[in-house]
Amino acid sequence: MSTPFPFTAVVGQDDLRLALLLNAVSPAVGGVLVRGEKGTAKSTAVRALSALMPTLDVVSGCRFSCDPGSPDPGCPDGPHEPGAFETRAARMVELPVGASEDRLVGALDIERALSEGVKAFEPGLLADAHRGILYVDEVNLLHDHLVDLLLDAAAMGASYVEREGVSVRHAARFLLVGTMNPEEGELRPQLLDRFGLTVEVAASREPDQRVEVVRRRLAYDDDPAAFAARWAEEEAAVRARIVAARELLPSVRLGDGALRQIAATCAAFEVDGMRADIVMARTATALAAWAGRTDVLAEDVRQAALLALPHRRRRNPFDAPGLDEDKLDETLEEFGGSDDDDPDPDPGPDGPGGGGGQPEPDDAPQGGDDTAARPEAGEGGQPQPSGAGEQSAVRASEPFRTKVLSVPGIGEGAAGRRSRARTEHGRTTGARRPRGALTKLHLAATVQAAAPHQRARGRSGPGLVVRRDDLRQATREGREGNLVLFVVDASGSMAARQRMSAVKGAVLSLLLDAYQRRDKVGLVTFRGTDADVALPPTSSVDAAAARLETLPTGGRTPLAAGLLRAHDVLRVERLRDPARRPLVVLVTDGRATGGPEPVALAGRAARLFAADGVASVVVDCESGPVRLGLAGQLAGELGGTAVTLDELRADSIAGLVKDVQRRAA
């Protein structure tokens, strides 16, 4: 077994270390979500925490880590005889992003269950993580069906495995720790709320601290055992402090004043539900125990708010996480309780995570310059010469709920919520022989396959003689996520009558829809003489929204160049992810200018998409009393459909999805 990097040797990252230590003191806090750029010691710190966790007493021979003091009465390995137990270290179990459902929850032998009535169960990762740590690296990339299973287990403290009426249940209480890079996509709100605390991490910009990080890492890589030995004393001190804090925790008093501050803070920041209040109360109590106190102070409530609330106050995926600390201080001062008054509050002990962890204020301006000028309309709405009349970026109008756009046919892409697909979950549509391990039994088809052979197999009792060849896998239909490639016209004609604000609002609305439907998104823009890939296909809808916000307009309309660049993007992405089907959303007024025969060239480029069978929608941005209908003609060349900005709204004309599917078929 490799020697982990010592927890106390991690340089800086006070918030991260404090959040992890508080969960070690009180697992009821509910886990930690660590958000940050790559290379910031997220995984290193999490893996190092397992070495500091106190040891556990477990029932000897129990695969589910039952506590000998109060064994689970429903344990599949039970009932347990009293007395026999062993002591071992708490486990840290890693859940791979690509894990199967059976690997997570365990597998039930359906053949033995049907033929012998025996619940032969092989435990999964949830059983291994019971009373320990479940760590998910890149948790934002976890498949939806695994996220649902994690949510159920986290909510109920138990895991249920059911196959056609045969079920197994076991306890599954664990410390959930996830790490993620927001650039690769955001986390579903339901799972986000399940994490008790969240921490934003970033690499230090101080040269001296960066030097120390490199020095320690090189020393560890040269001789991990010797490096760990140099930090053994500090590790032992933190481990002892965790044990002492756990013993003190039941004695910590959460007074009415602190409770009022917690409730007022959650109300002031308009967080949903009551989970935030409960998590803040548990975190503040753990902070007091970690500091060696039996009373919760206002400073504990403040620190608890900074750790427990930022990820709960986001109203949409494009909101930056964080708290207004001035507002937080005002709320705490206004609702300060007399039983928590302390004229000279103790700042907390020094050491790993002690008394620190206060996030530094972000002095960077948010949301751009409020005084940014909006572009003026071009004269008569006519295209301007290449490179002339470029306008600064305009803000997007308010987003709205859009019609559902989907890809026709049935795919086999990654789980999502947009288009029909053959998936592991959904409604049953048929049966087939299993390819590999059986995951979803089709009971009727299995019985039908086994029934003709009962006499030949010598059946004499009531049981059904089932062989491996009789088993049938249920085929199911659900929804998949797609690649939604936005191709946005940013030429001078789009700036006429200040349409770009409405156009950006429409694209932003579609991006919100893509986030909710678990799509990948890409952004191609064209103006002047060429087209640019503003954002290669990614799961980060936030990144697409940020690029859209800074998109300038002006110049001619190289429509053909935009279509050809989009076609190249799809060709490359098809090689990388062939199962994910694309949907092209072209946002334009349909005009094509610049170069020889721009309209004919655009038509030929559009027919490439039709030849490849790519589903497409043209969002017609033409406005004014006189309309040329160029976007509709372009949609015909693409083999797709055209909709106006008004028709894109969910409360506008019905039947948009049917039109998209019919014309793309």
Side-chain angles (χ1 to χ4, degrees):
M1 183 178 178
S2 60
T3 303
F5 192 91
F7 186 86
T8 51
V10 175
V11 178
Q13 307 295 10
D14 290 337
D15 283 356
L16 171 58
R17 294 193 296 164
L18 178 61
L20 292 171
L21 288 170
L22 292 177
N23 275 274
V25 171
S26 176
V29 166
V32 187
L33 174 65
V34 187
R35 298 164 45 95
E37 59 196 25
K38 52 187 176 293
T40 48
K42 301 188 298 292
S43 299
T44 298
V46 174
R47 293 188 176 102
L49 176 68
S50 60
L52 300 179
M53 297 291 286
T55 57
L56 300 175
D57 290 337
V58 299
V59 174
S60 298
C62 178
R63 297 174 298 168
F64 302 88
S65 304
C66 279
D67 185 350
S70 57
D72 181 9
C75 177
D77 284 353
H80 298 298
E81 296 294 331
F85 70 93
E86 58 189 54
T87 301
R88 62 164 175 78
R91 292 173 179 158
M92 191 194 76
V93 178
E94 294 195 40
L95 172 60
V97 169
S100 65
E101 179 180 335
D102 284 348
R103 184 71 187 97
L104 177 62
V105 301
L108 192 62
D109 191 330
I110 297 298
E111 185 175 356
R112 291 188 63 190
L114 287 176
S115 58
E116 304 175 28
V118 175
K119 294 182 181 180
F121 181 68
E122 184 66 29
L125 296 177
L126 290 180
D128 293 341
H130 180 47
R131 303 177 67 199
I133 303 172
L134 181 62
Y135 172 47
V136 189
D137 194 13
E138 306 294 352
V139 64
N140 51 321
L141 304 182
L142 200 63
H143 289 300
D144 274 6
H145 69 284
L146 297 183
V147 170
D148 292 335
L149 293 170
L150 274 181
L151 288 175
D152 291 341
M156 298 184 294
S159 175
Y160 292 85
V161 184
E162 298 194 9
R163 297 288 188 272
E164 300 297 335
V166 181
S167 64
V168 173
R169 173 213 165 273
H170 65 83
R173 291 182 294 275
F174 45 81
L175 168 58
L176 182 60
V177 181
T179 56
M180 61 174 282
N181 183 349
E183 293 179 357
E184 297 172 344
E186 276 297 340
L187 198 60
R188 276 176 56 182
Q190 295 93 329
L191 185 56
L192 191 66
D193 188 52
R194 290 294 181 184
F195 286 97
L197 310 179
T198 187
V199 177
E200 295 281 334
V201 296
S204 172
R205 300 298 185 257
E206 293 294 329
D208 291 343
Q209 195 171 70
R210 296 176 73 96
V211 165
E212 186 61 23
V213 170
V214 175
R215 181 181 291 118
R216 293 186 187 184
R217 186 69 211 190
L218 292 177
Y220 170 77
D221 290 341
D222 288 342
D223 191 343
F227 184 81
R230 290 201 294 273
W231 291 89
E233 186 175 344
E234 288 84 350
E235 293 281 286
V238 173
R239 192 179 299 110
R241 186 174 171 187
I242 291 173
V243 173
R246 281 193 172 191
E247 294 174 350
L248 182 63
L249 189 64
S251 303
V252 175
R253 186 178 71 92
L254 183 65
D256 289 342
L259 278 174
R260 282 195 300 272
Q261 289 182 317
I262 290 170
T265 301
C266 292
F269 286 100
E270 299 180 349
V271 297
D272 295 330
M274 295 297 299
R275 183 174 284 118
D277 304 63
I278 296 170
V279 171
M280 271 190 67
R282 289 171 174 166
T283 304
T285 303
L287 280 162
W290 177 247
R293 290 185 266 100
T294 56
D295 287 311
V296 174
L297 305 180
E299 67 185 69
D300 300 322
V301 176
R302 185 182 194 278
Q303 182 66 73
L306 293 172
L307 293 172
L309 297 188
H311 61 301
R312 290 187 165 88
R313 60 176 301 273
R314 302 182 75 187
R315 286 295 175 262
N316 67 65
F318 307 141
D319 290 340
L323 290 182
D324 182 341
E325 294 194 38
D326 291 337
K327 181 178 179 180
L328 174 60
D329 291 335
E330 291 173 3
T331 303
L332 293 176
E333 183 177 354
E334 180 181 355
F335 291 90
S338 59
D339 56 347
D340 290 326
D341 291 340
D342 188 345
D344 185 19
D346 181 7
D350 296 330
Q358 297 289 348
E360 297 180 0
D362 185 0
D363 294 328
Q366 300 295 319
D369 186 357
D370 289 337
T371 61
R374 294 178 177 266
E376 298 295 330
E379 295 183 2
Q382 297 298 318
Q384 300 182 23
S386 175
E390 179 173 312
Q391 306 291 343
S392 59
V394 299
R395 293 178 180 272
S397 62
E398 284 298 314
F400 51 85
R401 191 165 63 90
T402 66
K403 286 286 190 183
V404 179
L405 308 177
S406 62
V407 178
I410 301 179
E412 294 182 342
R417 295 174 183 161
R418 184 172 296 278
S419 305
R420 295 170 59 199
R422 286 181 285 271
T423 63
E424 288 294 318
H425 299 268
R427 64 185 183 90
T428 300
T429 58
R432 60 172 173 80
R433 292 181 181 272
R435 302 172 192 148
L438 178 71
T439 55
K440 297 291 183 183
L441 178 74
H442 194 296
L443 183 57
T446 299
V447 172
Q448 187 176 6
H453 308 290
Q454 296 306 296
R455 181 175 295 178
R457 294 173 183 175
R459 172 186 170 186
S460 58
L464 187 68
V465 181
V466 179
R467 303 280 173 81
R468 177 69 186 174
D469 290 343
D470 301 326
L471 299 179
R472 295 294 183 267
Q473 175 85 22
T475 57
R476 304 194 174 201
E477 183 179 306
R479 293 281 170 176
E480 68 176 359
N482 298 111
L483 166 60
V484 182
L485 182 61
F486 294 93
V487 185
V488 180
D489 183 350
S491 64
S493 64
M494 296 293 288
R497 302 182 183 89
Q498 300 195 11
R499 281 182 287 172
M500 203 59 193
S501 178
V503 168
K504 285 188 176 183
V507 178
L508 186 64
S509 303
L510 290 166
L511 283 171
L512 278 166
D513 183 67
Y515 166 77
Q516 294 165 351
R517 300 185 187 281
R518 307 292 285 172
D519 295 315
K520 290 180 71 172
V521 296
L523 179 62
V524 173
T525 64
F526 57 93
R527 67 187 182 94
T529 60
D530 203 1
D532 295 315
V533 181
L535 183 72
T538 176
S539 296
S540 177
V541 178
D542 298 55
R547 302 290 168 85
L548 179 71
E549 188 69 24
T550 59
L551 178 65
T553 58
R556 295 188 181 275
T557 311
L559 178 56
L563 291 171
L564 291 174
R565 183 60 59 90
H567 191 267
D568 286 342
V569 170
L570 293 185
R571 178 180 55 81
V572 173
E573 191 64 19
R574 192 177 293 116
L575 297 174
R576 293 175 178 169
D577 191 357
R580 190 180 289 269
R581 297 186 295 161
L583 172 64
V584 173
V585 179
L586 175 60
V587 185
T588 181
D589 57 8
R591 300 186 185 189
T593 60
E597 299 184 345
V599 176
L601 186 59
R604 289 198 294 270
R607 287 192 288 274
L608 292 175
F609 292 87
D612 291 342
V614 176
S616 59
V617 177
V618 178
V619 179
D620 184 359
C621 302
E622 192 175 25
S623 60
V626 179
R627 296 178 181 245
L628 303 178
L630 298 176
Q633 298 175 24
L634 183 61
E637 300 278 10
L638 287 165
T641 188
V643 296
T644 65
L645 289 175
D646 290 336
E647 292 170 351
L648 195 60
R649 295 179 178 271
D651 53 0
S652 66
I653 8 181
L656 175 59
V657 179
K658 295 180 181 178
D659 288 343
V660 174
Q661 294 177 338
R662 184 178 64 251
R663 298 195 185 188

